[in-house]
Amino acid sequence: MNASKHCGRIIPVLIISILLIPLSCEENPGSKTFGDPPTPETCFCDPDGIETYLEWAADEYPDIIQLRSIGMSESGRTIYAVKLSDNPETAEAEPAVLVNGAVHGNEQAGAGMALKLIEYLAEGWYIGDPDAAAIIENLELHIIPVINPDGLALSGRLNSNDVDLNRNFGYNWYTEEDNNGDSAFDQSESSAVRDDFLTQGYCLAVNMHTTPNYSGIGIYGPWDAFGTDTDSLTPDGWAAKYLPNYALIEQLGADYAADVTAEGIAPFKQYFHYLEGADWYPLYGSMTDWALGVCGTVSYSVELYPKQNYTTADADTLELIWSAQKAALLNLITNAELGTGGRLTDTSGAAVTGAVITLTAAASGRSFSPLPYDALTGRTDSDGYFRFITEAGDYHIKFVSGTRVGEADITVGASGETSIGGTYSAFPEYILPDA
Ligand SMILES: [Zn+2]
């Protein structure tokens, strides 16, 4: 295979025999007794109620839901994640997506949306809803309803150390920012989320918030820090528009805004917009900036609704929010199948985890290379997998793990498959040469 003209050392191999055979899909049982479950509407403001809901869901739907802890809050509450997928106990060759809520504890509707999504997908899977089935069968969807359970318990924005967790992530973390901790990731909640990203290898992340005013509702893309052409204070900020997938990030955000419906909230649709985060207001140390800058994860913040400090008396509002944004959220998640992915192993066939990946657009034509402005940077996950949502085209991919380096030229197809030397696969296997 002539796929290694840059260095001649990597051995890109397509493991067609395994990875291209459709993975066994369970038949939908077709009928299901749901019993008397807790509901998102009655528990979305209370961490104990949410815990009960998640334990119930994992118990009720064990073949598609797996519940795990990603760590503990500063006050000792468990931070839960659920994985929704067929064969949830197995790391499959499928794009991994994260949806989360309540990084701010007074924005309970994000937790409520997360629970509504779990409810819809689990029930949808059992009744044969094709949209639910497509997500369960083709993706590994992870949902963290509450990143900040201590804040949720008090209906407060900050965690129990008075830190804003969405200012505590380690990319463009800035000493002058308010309530951002003494250093990046010095809070157990943000470091737990960081470790979960590095384990799961998310290609798409949706961080759900709410805002006090109609003027703030919408979906926000990169970057939260800086983000305009003239804000060239750091390469990280200035790089925003030169990411190889920046136009696609804008398009998917605009699609979300267009897919939002009014659903009985008359002024809602006219306000709901897509913007770069910093064009609303700049902030430093956000989860979404870290995820894109370090993991290559296409990341958005969604300001779901103009209200904070919800109670269960807002159950009807949660229903409206879900109805208005259900289709937009499902469509966005489905786009995780775009772009390129793969699995990195060593010459013995063992997964190479935590390798730094650089994906560079081959035909950018920009004059300021070798600065990394045309590149996405990411990491292989704990099973050696990686995925980037990016546009079709020719790319150069480079893997670095310690002293081992591998490179290849690849072509990304429009439907999310990758060609190395002419053969397309959704998750080609790359073999990292020995040092
Ligand atoms: Zn928020």
Side-chain angles (χ1 to χ4, degrees), residues 103-104 106-107 157 166 208-210 303 308:
V103 69
H104 296 138
N106 62 337
E107 300 171 8
R157 176 181 177 89
N166 204 37
M208 296 187 294
H209 298 251
T210 71
E303 298 286 351
Q308 297 181 310

